[in-house]
Each structure stands twice: as C-alpha cells, then as structure tokens.
Amino acid sequence: MGQSRVLMIGAGIGQIPLCQLIKQRGCFLIVVTIPGNYPCIALADKVYFIDIYDREEIVRVAREENIDAVISDQNDLMMPTVAYVAEHLGLPGNTFAQVNSYCNKNIFRENCDKLSIPSPKHCKVHQQEIPADFTNVSFPWVVKPEDSQSSIGVAKVDNEDEYFEALTFALLKSKNRTAIVEEFFEGREVVVEGFIYNGDYYNLGIADRKYFKLDRMFIPSQTIFPSVISVELKNRLIGYEQAYTDYVHPDFAIVHSEYLINERTGEIRVVESALRGGGVYISSHLVPLFTGIGINDMLIDCALGKEIDIRALFSRNVRKAAAYICFYLPEGIVRSISGLEKIKGLPYVHQCDVSVEVGDAVKEMTYKGQRLGPVIVSGESRMDIEEKICTIQEILEIKVQSEKGGLLGIVWD
C-alpha cells in the first residue's frame, strides 16, 4: 500500500497538532492556506496558496493530487471547505449541508428551535435595522456574525446606538454579510466535547469556562475539565447533543458545543456548536489529558476510511483533570518578566504559549486572539488542578508600565 496523501485545510496554530500526527504516520501532507506566516506551512510536504473559500479550485487541486483524505480541526471557517472537498471527491466525511447546520449560527438556531433545544430568542439580520421580532425584547442583546470564529464581531449591547455600531462590525466580519441578534441570557458557561461516529454521539466530557471581566466582549480566560455542575444538568446537555446529532446525522466528527446555565433557575441556553474540536488545544491536548483518548487520531482514522472500535476506545476514559489558562496585559510597555521558565519546567504544564519580551508594547485587547497563553495544565482531580492553576498564577509575574507611569501586572480574570 502506498503513502496516504492527506489534504489539510488551513495552516494556523489550531492545525499544528493534527499536522504533526499526520506526519508521524508517514502520510504525505498537502496544506491549503492563504499566504502568510502560518506555522503548518513548514510542516507540509506541499503547499498550495489558495483562499479557503475558493472551493472549486481546492477541489481541482485535490483531484490533481489524488488525495486519500481531507481534514482540519479547531477552526469553524475551515470545516465547510473540508466537507465540500470530501463530498465532491467521494471521500469519507460529512456533507456541506451537515457542516453548515452546525457552523452557520442562524441555521443552527433554527434547527434547535425545531428540536426544542433551548435557545435565546434570536433573529437573522441582513442590514442596518432592528428586526420586528425584537422591538419588544429588552436590552441587553448579543450581536454576532453568522459565520465567523474566535468571537470576532461578537458583542453585548445595552442600547440601540451600541446595537447599530455592533451590527455594522458583525456584518463586515461575516462572509455572507449576515448577522444574528440574540436575547442576552445570563449564566455560567460550560463546553461539551463529543465524538460522532456513524451518526451516533459519544460524550467525552464537560468543562467549565471562565471569562475575563470585560465590557461588551466575551473572551474566555480558562476552560477546566471536569465541570462541577450536577449530574442531572450534565445528562440534560448530553441529551441535547444526542438530539441534534440524530437530526443532522453526521458520519464522523469531533463536536464542540457551548451552553449557558442559570443555576438559580435551572434554565439552559445553547450558545453554539461546531463539527470540529474545541480551539485553544481543547481537542488536541485537554481532552486526551482529561480522558486518555486521542480523538485527533480517531479523526485521522475516520478521514482515511478506517474502521474504529469506538466503544473500546471510550471504555478507556480515565476521567482526570485538564485545563487551559490565559491572561492579558494592560496597555503599556513590558518592563519585567519573571517565573516564565520555571512554569515551563513544571511537570504538570504540557504547553506554555506565552510569547512576550521586555520592551514589547502592549495594546488594548479587543478580541480573544490577543490573549497570552494558553498554559496547558493537567491534574488528578478538579481540586488538584485548581491548586496547580493558583501555583502558576503565583509564580508568573509580568510588569507593564502604563502611560501614567505606574507598574501594572497580569490580568487573570
């Protein structure tokens, strides 16, 4: 049997773990990406510089290269193109419509309504207007592009002026020039990770997510497995995931979903879902550290058309603890850094993506791609990992001199 030829859509940070695994298997890795300083370009055997939305050209290249599989992970924007190529070449994968039913926020909301999966009140918006269905909905609202990623263009608004400002930006950041406006729902956020195989849903775990205290922006600071919510709430969430899977019936995929829970009332609202692994190394690092299950390996096997023993793999679930933690710095000039190398040497720190140097100018954080980190941490239990996170926060010190001359430190929450 010859060397398998795998096409990777995208070359960013989120695709690095998958690229590395593909290369470790001895496959010939072809990457499609736009030009730029993207890390997976150096890992590829061959690179084509094509816009990921130029799907017909990517299909042409895929045919010419006689690929055996097409794949990507940790990025919403790549997944419709993965499906489009797989569908047109008859390769293992999901249909374009199946992927869009997750990635397109308006389609996802409409499907959830059909399935009685609790969603905030919502409406599709194409232009500068307040939808008629929202004239009697009290502020605050949430405005989002229907097809973006990394919380780009997502904003909480408290009045009409803020709404129109946020809507302008959301429409600009949508490839389809379409946004969605939603009723704001207050609650703690959890993320639900699963794997779909032959149309069946298998839960990998549920994590708690914490956010920075920022005005109008939603930027996560931590994601910690396992969640501390009740078993009853966990079962309800898994039931919603199973219901949506049954309705769309994807062939195989990692699935990442986000929910809000009002613990006082017990109400739940689904935030979003996607047929890809959670970003910030959730699928590549956190889930394997938490469960002992290598879901990226499973994804590659499925993309190559190999059968997997899903029940045997899930029977190995070890259920420990894992987390990523991020931080940001105040505006100013970095004057000192201490403890960074010590953190990198800790046995329970598996990755530390902190790229900052003395003298760096720090700008105001406006989207989550500007966070520093993540630091990937493992533990034996929820209590154990909380203690390790505290230790890391005590060790790492970065001082920034503000415009007013004062020295300010790391912002963890």
Side-chain angles (χ1 to χ4, degrees), residues 126-141:
H126 296 285
Q127 57 192 5
Q128 288 284 338
E129 64 178 8
I130 294 177
D133 288 349
F134 258 70
T135 54
N136 294 320
V137 178
S138 300
F139 285 100
W141 302 342

Side-chain angles (χ1 to χ4, degrees), residues 208-261:
D208 291 321
R209 174 162 285 173
K210 299 180 182 180
Y211 278 78
F212 294 113
K213 297 179 180 70
L214 297 167
D215 184 39
R216 295 180 60 190
M217 291 189 295
F218 302 93
I219 301 181
S221 58
Q222 299 180 10
T223 296
I224 309 175
F225 289 89
S227 172
V228 295
I229 62 171
S230 69
V231 172
E232 187 269 334
L233 283 172
K234 288 179 182 177
N235 288 337
R236 285 169 65 187
L237 297 177
I238 292 169
Y240 296 142
E241 293 293 290
Q242 289 170 332
Y244 202 86
T245 300
D246 290 344
Y247 181 73
V248 178
H249 206 73
D251 188 20
F252 67 87
I254 303 170
V255 58
H256 167 84
S257 302
E258 299 168 1
Y259 291 83
L260 289 170
I261 300 171

Side-chain angles (χ1 to χ4, degrees), residues 330-345:
E331 283 188 270
I333 305 297
V334 177
R335 294 304 183 197
S336 66
I337 303 169
S338 65
L340 185 55
E341 293 307 313
K342 184 174 181 180
I343 284 173
K344 291 178 179 179

Side-chain angles (χ1 to χ4, degrees), residues 4-50:
S4 295
R5 300 174 70 82
V6 180
L7 178 64
M8 173 71 67
I9 307 298
I13 290 173
Q15 287 81 53
I16 290 175
L18 207 52
C19 283
Q20 290 172 335
L21 283 175
I22 290 165
K23 292 298 294 177
Q24 287 169 17
R25 289 176 174 229
C27 298
F28 188 88
L29 176 63
I30 304 163
V31 165
V32 166
T33 179
I34 57 173
N37 186 27
Y38 297 106
C40 293
I41 291 173
L43 298 174
D45 296 294
K46 197 169 186 178
V47 179
Y48 285 90
F49 293 107
I50 308 171

Side-chain angles (χ1 to χ4, degrees), residues 14 73-74 193 254 276-288 293-296:
D73 194 28
Q74 298 193 32
E193 305 300 320
I254 303 170
R276 48 89 178 166
V280 200
Y281 306 116
I282 289 176
S283 60
S284 57
H285 291 60
L286 265 60
V287 169
I293 301 170
I295 56 172
N296 274 0

